[in-house]
Amino acid sequence: MLTLIVSGCVAQPETVVVEADPAIGDFTPVVREILENHPDGEVTIRFGEGCFDFFPERAAGKYLCISNNDNGYKRCAFLLEGMNRVRIEGLGDGTRFRFHGAMVPFRIERCSEVQFGRFAVEYDASFIFEGRVVANDPATRSITLRLLDPERFLIRDGEPRFSGYDWESPFGENILFDPQTRSPYFDAERYGHNPSIALKAERLNDSLVRLSGYAARELPPVGSVYTDKGPHSTNRRYPGFSLYASSKIELCDVTLHDSGGMALIAERCRDVVCTRYCVEVPAGSGRMVSASADATHFVGCSGRIELRDCRFESMLDDATNIHGAYMKIVDRLSGHRFGASFGHFQQEGYDFAEEGDSLVFVDRADLSVVGVGKVAKIDCVNENYYSIQTSFDLGNIPDSIQLAVANPTFDTRVRISDCTVRYNRARSLLISTPGDVCIEDCDLSSMMAGIRICGDANYWFESGRTQNIVIQNNRFGTMATGGVSPQAVLQIDPVIPHRARAGRKPYHGCIRFEGNLVETFDNQVIYALSVDSMVIRSNRFVDSRRFEPRFKGLSVIDAQSCRSITIQDNDFSAWKKDASISLVDCPERHLQGDGMPPVTENPNPYFYEN
């Protein structure tokens, strides 16, 4: 049922009220018609109380390249293109949008002033398989699962698969959850089945299935929850909110329970604010997993990004990742013209730059800057090859140097405050942006690092030299329960090999870690590599003793190739008695405080040829 409310003021957008109506089985064409009737925007779509279902058959579709997700043809329930001043709102907990099958709920492209508020997003079937382990047998390398959703499980050619309304997936990437803590198991890697080895499935009854041929160091224990999101390169197809080349986007009081990709991905956007945006499993569902990837992700954005009073739970990746992109220079076509490709397949099709944008050229071997210039002309030949003409003369750079190029035009300012991250695989916050960053009053607990500040031109190709980061008054809970290498609470690890560290200009600028409470179990709290000014002041470190340390012998603070480091007035009274602080190639040191661990040279041996 639709109601049109026309404001008496011409400057105000129209309001279209959509009420839940059992006679309308699919609200997809209803929404599409409203948007088609307002091609320029200037509309508020206000949903009443109840559940609104959306199906893919009559959804608008187009081929989308979505960075850090899987490209392809997508059906979109809310497809906004070139629209301004649009608000999509509900009545809070009473308004639910339920999507069926292979759909991207929200695609916002080249829009401005778009607001989302007061509704929840769910799917009829999760994109994650889940089953409780009720038995295991080392002799046959098998586990028996009680299926969370028996009707979604099927066997084809003896192998397990899981399905939804119009999709089906083989098993692939998997991880084990502890239902008592709702988090990934401690040292979860030991239970991870090798996805390159096919499992064999046998149905025992309607709700029980036996999986044989389990290839892992240890079989999952009885009572654990086995989760699987399907094969790598096909399990990030359907992000919840896909924002592209848009500005002034706001989410307020929005909850997302499911997504078959990132819950929110923003590319080349300006000014994105999320207030009380939650990613979490539905209450009482018994599920362990919400989104199959990051809760939020920002690529090449500018202006400001704000995450305020948000809660990010149970994702299979990070709470946020804010970065730019490096492209590999694969052809030097002339002194001022080159061909570039993306280093990671999930960046292909990303809108890297436009005429007039700045460029920074780096040596891929050590991330050192070899030149700067501007884009004079850019041609996207295909999803993975750009021809770029620049004001910088590459002819002066030896052919032996492998080059990457970044676009530093996008210098997002970031503020993350009063947010909670817990129960998720991977890290809490990844920050790689030259704009000012403030992270404060947050409560962070995740499987791997708490805050990671990186930069690399050889694997993920995520760029972003940071200039000024303040991390203050946060609580860091249990971190580093998983990961094949050590995971610090604060992990600053640009990928610079050992041989290229000494005597060079630091990669990152000023990073301040002040007034934080750290309550964790592993040895290393801060790992800082190649920072111009590292300040660690007035923090309290508490050994929770929740688990035995995974990487014994590491120093609580490990700083390497930092021009200046300040460690001052920290409280180590409740930390490990045998702790140490390791400083290597840190010429300017300011160390002060009672009870500070002894200073030595004990560099982390696990990171990058250390």
Side-chain angles (χ1 to χ4, degrees), residues 31 35 45 47 54 64 66 75-80 87-89 96-99 103-109 114-117 119-123 238-244 251 254-256 258 262-265:
V31 167
L35 296 176
I45 309 176
F47 290 83
F54 298 88
L64 297 178
I66 305 177
R75 302 283 180 92
C76 307
F78 291 78
L79 178 60
L80 279 63
R87 178 170 177 81
I88 299 168
E89 65 181 19
R96 293 160 38 230
F97 295 160
R98 181 168 58 197
F99 299 90
M103 300 185 74
V104 173
F106 300 94
R107 169 69 175 184
I108 313 303
E109 186 171 323
V114 179
Q115 298 176 320
F116 302 94
F119 60 82
V121 175
E122 62 187 43
Y123 277 83
Y238 310 110
F241 290 84
S242 173
L243 316 177
Y244 169 71
L251 279 77
V254 171
T255 298
L256 184 142
D258 308 90
M262 293 176 176
L264 181 150
I265 168 72

Side-chain angles (χ1 to χ4, degrees), residues 28-48:
T28 307
V30 174
V31 167
R32 196 181 71 242
E33 181 180 358
I34 295 171
L35 296 176
E36 289 173 351
N37 289 338
H38 299 82
D40 298 324
E42 302 292 340
V43 63
T44 293
I45 309 176
R46 181 176 298 154
F47 290 83

Side-chain angles (χ1 to χ4, degrees), residues 14 18 27 112 119 132 152 158 169 183 217 244 259 274 296 324 326-327 369 417 440 471 500 508 535 539 544 581 596:
E14 290 183 351
V18 183
F27 281 85
S112 178
F119 60 82
R132 179 75 66 99
R152 297 180 50 222
S169 174
S183 301
R217 281 186 285 152
Y244 169 71
S259 65
C274 298
T296 64
Y326 283 117
M327 292 192 78
V369 175
S417 59
E440 63 180 354
I471 304 165
H508 291 296
V535 178
N539 305 285
S544 70
I581 293 173
M596 187 170 65

Side-chain angles (χ1 to χ4, degrees), residues 56-223:
E57 285 85 356
R58 292 180 284 178
K62 64 184 303 185
Y63 189 92
L64 297 178
C65 296
I66 305 177
S67 181
N68 295 78
N69 288 261
D70 299 326
N71 298 344
Y73 190 84
K74 316 290 184 183
R75 302 283 180 92
C76 307
F78 291 78
L79 178 60
L80 279 63
E81 298 178 290
M83 303 174 75
N84 301 311
R85 299 179 71 197
V86 178
R87 178 170 177 81
I88 299 168
E89 65 181 19
L91 297 177
D93 293 340
T95 303
R96 293 160 38 230
F97 295 160
R98 181 168 58 197
F99 299 90
H100 297 256
M103 300 185 74
V104 173
F106 300 94
R107 169 69 175 184
I108 313 303
E109 186 171 323
R110 301 190 186 280
C111 295
S112 178
E113 296 185 61
V114 179
Q115 298 176 320
F116 302 94
R118 296 166 56 83
F119 60 82
V121 175
E122 62 187 43
Y123 277 83
D124 63 324
S126 170
F127 290 95
I128 310 298
F129 168 84
E130 299 190 22
R132 179 75 66 99
V133 179
V134 297
N136 59 40
D137 183 0
T140 59
R141 302 299 298 176
S142 67
I143 59 174
T144 300
L145 303 179
R146 185 175 300 280
L147 306 173
L148 181 63
D149 299 306
E151 68 280 0
R152 297 180 50 222
F153 180 83
L154 60 156
I155 299 173
R156 293 198 186 280
D157 298 324
E159 297 181 6
R161 301 176 75 89
F162 60 106
S163 63
Y165 173 77
D166 60 351
W167 58 268
E168 184 179 305
S169 174
F171 277 33
E173 295 182 301
N174 56 87
I175 190 170
L176 208 66
F177 276 76
D178 184 341
Q180 302 303 315
T181 64
R182 295 178 57 190
S183 301
Y185 255 79
F186 179 77
D187 195 15
E189 287 78 14
R190 60 181 161 164
Y191 302 115
H193 171 70
N194 183 345
S196 67
I197 299 175
L199 289 164
K200 292 299 180 182
E202 175 189 1
R203 196 143 200 168
L204 304 180
N205 59 36
D206 288 345
S207 62
L208 292 179
V209 62
R210 180 184 293 124
L211 302 180
S212 302
Y214 201 90
R217 281 186 285 152
E218 297 183 32
L219 289 176
V222 172

Side-chain angles (χ1 to χ4, degrees), residues 302-316:
S302 59
R304 65 186 176 120
I305 292 172
E306 292 192 23
L307 304 177
R308 303 186 300 219
D309 196 19
C310 296
R311 187 170 67 254
F312 303 127
E313 299 180 354
S314 309
M315 312 81 64
L316 288 180

Side-chain angles (χ1 to χ4, degrees), residues 333-348:
L333 303 173
S334 70
H336 291 275
R337 193 163 67 92
F338 61 91
S341 294
F342 292 103
H344 196 279
F345 75 95
Q346 285 178 326
Q347 292 175 334
E348 293 180 7

Side-chain angles (χ1 to χ4, degrees), residues 449 451-454 485-498 501 508 511 513 523-531 534 536 541 554-562 565 582 584 602-610:
I451 298 174
R452 187 181 184 194
I453 303 168
C454 191
S485 61
Q487 302 290 315
V489 168
L490 173 60
Q491 186 166 312
I492 308 162
D493 59 345
V495 185
I496 303 170
H498 181 78
R501 295 175 184 176
H508 291 296
I511 300 175
F513 189 81
N523 286 347
Q524 193 144 97
V525 173
I526 297 175
Y527 176 86
L529 171 64
S530 196
V531 182
M534 184 74 223
I536 305 166
F541 300 89
L554 299 183
S555 297
V556 59
I557 298 172
D558 183 346
Q560 303 176 38
S561 301
C562 296
I565 182 163
S582 176
V584 175
N602 178 39
N604 187 323
Y606 298 90
F607 282 128
Y608 314 128
E609 305 174 16
N610 199 343

